[in-house]
Amino acid sequence: MSFRIRNHAYFTPLFFYAMAAVIFLLALGQFGAFFFQIGLMALGLFILLILIECLLLFVKPQTSFKARRFLDERFSNGDQNEVTISLTNHFPFPVSVLVIDELPVQFQQRDFSLKYKLKSGECYSQSYSLRPVERGEYWFGSLNVFIKSPLRLLERRLRHDANASVKVYPAFKEMRQFEMMAISNRLTEVGIKKIRRIGHQMEFDQIREYTNGDDYRTINWKATARKSNLMVNQYQDEKSQQVISIIDLGRTMKMPFEGMTLLDYAINSALVLSKIAMLKQDKAGLITFNNEVRTIVAPQRNSKQMQVIMESLYNQSTLFEEQSIQALYTAVRRKVHQRSLLVLYTNYESLSAAKRQLPMLQKLAHDHMVVVVFFENTELKSITNQKASDIEGIYIKTIAEKFAYDKKRIVLELERYGIHSVLTAPEDLTVETINKYLELKARGYI
């Protein structure tokens, strides 16, 4: 361990080993003048080396060595985000460097360090990744750089880039990935299914000349009479439909999965769904609620809408309160006047909890297309797949199977009331939700 002198100078382990050797030689001087003379010479050399290293390290160290930490303006929650450290050695000699970066408290990591050896005039940079699992503002401490000269008796600490901050937003990297794949028609690579269209598109696009293979039912006879050629009506997918993501902030969304809460998975999915809906020429909106409605973003389709949604989702938090489906129903009746697709992200752990909300959900489904998205309990699923070896194991497995069966009964109960549902594991949430949206759109339900 290093012993601290003043604020930025430290003794290294080699310093104590050398000092112990000098003391040992001086102690041997009690048995002979020869050893005492050697000890004095060693002591003088030791002091001289310390003075030389002080001159090497402490004369203009701030300009002789540069260190920088490069961060993006914002991090993507749940994704790997890159941090780059850049080092430049302007000393006229090679140095050994120990870098200790003070990471934000959210990562709970206090032993993060990197070691380097830099030649004179050499520049070096290295990147490492951080995966945040909470949204909010993260503060980095100092970038501590400990420098040793070739003598390695002392080391100098330099501090750089103190109190740097970065904001962690919902998973915009995942959103960009889906956006690029949607633009290049490669969504099937991430599990998005190709949905066969049923029936005809209902929104008129243009009148054009008939070509082989066109449906004869689309022939426009009036235009045919005017042009003396067969003309047909061309239709396209309906546009400007409203897709509203509704996120439950109640205590049931506090459940963790791989370091993130179910709320974070829902927020990430809602962000991607909003972007895909806008790429499909629909309008995207947002509602969050718990015991009352917290946020309402009116459905729009413009260049600023995604930023508005992202800023609204940035500071949403799960509270230990029971969600009020009545408050949600009242807000939708007052604010949403056009028939819309309502994607409700919530979680049910029992059939009775779902039945309490069914009357209000049924009322919402009377005026809108409602899709309830809730989560499989993956821990229970792993228990049901295990073999029970004793009475206690049989009891635990039976209870787990009962809860898993209740989840499937909830799906059937929702369907009985004309409400669509998605039961999915948290890691598959985004893909399953987009598949459901594309399916409903292809079938003309919205």
Side-chain angles (χ1 to χ4, degrees):
M1 296 185 58
S2 299
F3 181 79
R4 192 171 109 172
I5 300 179
R6 295 186 180 180
N7 294 325
H8 301 289
Y10 294 80
F11 291 145
T12 67
L14 182 61
F15 171 89
F16 292 104
Y17 295 146
M19 185 171 64
V22 171
I23 294 174
F24 179 73
L25 290 173
L26 291 174
L28 288 179
Q30 299 294 327
F31 304 100
F34 174 74
F35 292 107
F36 186 75
Q37 293 296 326
I38 294 178
L40 287 177
M41 294 174 60
L43 177 62
L45 178 62
F46 180 63
I47 295 174
L48 178 63
L49 290 176
I50 292 176
L51 292 175
I52 292 174
E53 189 157 28
C54 286
L55 292 175
L56 291 175
L57 292 178
F58 301 132
V59 175
K60 297 181 179 180
Q62 297 292 343
T63 57
S64 299
F65 195 93
K66 296 293 183 181
R68 290 287 308 277
R69 181 203 300 121
F70 295 96
L71 302 168
D72 293 331
E73 292 184 2
R74 56 188 183 182
F75 280 0
S76 178
N77 191 31
D79 295 323
Q80 296 292 339
N81 299 268
E82 193 172 271
V83 179
T84 301
I85 293 177
S86 176
L87 306 173
T88 305
N89 178 24
H90 293 297
F91 283 107
F93 50 84
V95 296
S96 299
V97 181
L98 171 65
V99 177
I100 300 177
D101 200 357
E102 296 177 2
L103 303 181
V105 295
Q106 290 89 339
F107 295 105
Q108 290 297 300
Q109 189 174 354
R110 294 292 175 269
D111 57 350
F112 182 84
S113 62
L114 301 170
K115 294 183 178 181
Y116 309 94
K117 289 185 178 180
L118 299 180
K119 298 177 182 178
S120 177
E122 182 180 359
C123 297
Y124 181 78
S125 63
Q126 180 172 337
S127 299
Y128 63 90
S129 296
L130 295 174
R131 180 180 180 265
V133 294
E134 299 177 13
R135 287 163 290 108
E137 192 168 17
Y138 286 47
W139 286 89
F140 284 79
S142 298
L143 182 64
N144 299 282
V145 181
F146 295 85
I147 306 171
K148 297 178 186 177
S149 74
L151 297 177
R152 305 178 69 84
L153 294 173
L154 300 175
E155 61 183 356
R156 173 81 190 212
R157 183 182 72 172
L158 302 177
R159 306 184 72 178
H160 300 270
D161 297 340
N163 298 324
S165 67
V166 62
K167 291 183 177 181
V168 177
Y169 280 82
F172 56 85
K173 287 188 175 181
E174 183 183 26
M175 179 192 70
R176 289 173 182 169
Q177 176 191 4
F178 277 89
E179 179 184 2
M180 294 303 296
M181 289 187 171
I183 292 173
S184 57
N185 293 319
R186 293 188 297 114
L187 283 175
T188 53
E189 296 180 12
V190 289
I192 304 300
K193 301 175 184 176
K194 289 186 176 180
I195 308 297
R196 184 176 64 88
R197 299 194 176 277
I198 297 177
H200 296 275
Q201 297 95 335
M202 299 302 296
E203 188 168 294
F204 177 78
D205 183 22
Q206 63 177 342
I207 299 174
R208 60 172 176 80
E209 289 189 4
Y210 175 88
T211 58
N212 290 333
D214 285 338
D215 191 339
Y216 67 89
R217 291 174 294 181
T218 61
I219 294 176
N220 187 319
W221 296 107
K222 290 184 178 180
T224 297
R226 289 196 301 269
K227 296 289 187 178
S228 299
N229 288 320
L230 279 177
M231 306 296 291
V232 294
N233 294 331
Q234 179 172 303
Y235 298 90
Q236 61 182 0
D237 288 338
E238 292 189 46
K239 299 179 180 179
S240 299
Q241 297 165 311
Q242 296 189 159
V243 179
I244 302 176
S245 299
I246 303 175
I247 300 178
D248 177 6
L249 303 180
R251 61 173 175 264
T252 58
M253 300 293 281
K254 192 74 174 178
M255 185 179 297
F257 179 81
E258 293 187 355
M260 294 171 59
T261 63
L262 297 183
L263 174 62
D264 288 311
Y265 283 98
I267 285 176
N268 293 346
S269 175
L271 190 67
V272 176
L273 177 62
S274 299
K275 187 62 180 181
I276 295 296
M278 293 178 65
L279 290 174
K280 295 291 184 180
Q281 308 299 316
D282 287 335
K283 298 177 181 178
L286 173 71
I287 297 176
T288 64
F289 76 104
N290 46 21
N291 61 329
E292 62 182 23
V293 174
R294 299 293 182 180
T295 306
I296 297 179
V297 177
Q300 297 288 338
R301 184 172 61 85
N302 54 50
S303 58
K304 297 182 180 179
Q305 183 70 356
M306 285 309 303
Q307 186 63 33
V308 173
I309 292 176
M310 188 178 294
E311 291 292 339
S312 300
L313 293 173
Y314 164 69
N315 58 357
Q316 300 290 339
S317 59
T318 311
L319 302 177
F320 293 96
E321 298 174 345
E322 185 70 24
Q323 68 270 45
S324 173
I325 199 70
Q326 176 67 53
L328 173 64
Y329 173 73
T330 303
V332 172
R333 283 295 302 271
R334 290 179 178 176
K335 300 294 184 179
V336 184
H337 305 294
Q338 177 184 331
R339 178 174 171 81
S340 308
L341 172 62
L342 307 181
V343 181
L344 171 60
Y345 295 91
T346 187
N347 193 37
Y348 302 120
E349 288 301 323
S350 66
L351 181 60
S352 59
K355 284 185 174 181
R356 286 197 300 268
Q357 295 188 5
L358 272 176
M360 289 294 105
L361 292 175
Q362 191 177 11
K363 289 183 178 180
L364 282 174
H366 183 269
D367 299 318
H368 305 277
M369 175 62 62
V370 177
V371 176
V372 177
V373 182
F374 61 110
F375 299 88
E376 291 180 351
N377 193 322
T378 52
E379 294 295 329
L380 292 180
K381 189 175 181 180
S382 63
I383 293 175
T384 58
N385 293 331
Q386 295 176 358
K387 290 184 178 181
S389 58
D390 53 21
I391 298 298
E392 182 182 359
I394 293 173
Y395 176 77
I396 293 174
K397 184 174 180 179
T398 302
I399 296 298
E401 288 177 346
K402 191 263 182 186
F403 278 106
Y405 178 66
D406 277 354
K407 293 275 188 177
K408 296 177 182 178
R409 289 183 62 191
I410 292 171
V411 173
L412 296 176
E413 196 71 16
L414 291 170
E415 289 179 354
R416 192 162 70 89
Y417 284 87
I419 300 169
H420 296 268
S421 63
V422 175
L423 175 59
T424 179
E427 69 267 26
D428 300 326
L429 175 63
T430 300
V431 170
E432 294 294 336
T433 305
I434 294 175
N435 278 332
K436 193 66 176 180
Y437 160 69
L438 296 177
E439 176 190 345
L440 295 175
K441 192 171 180 66
R443 294 179 181 272
Y445 290 164
I446 55 174

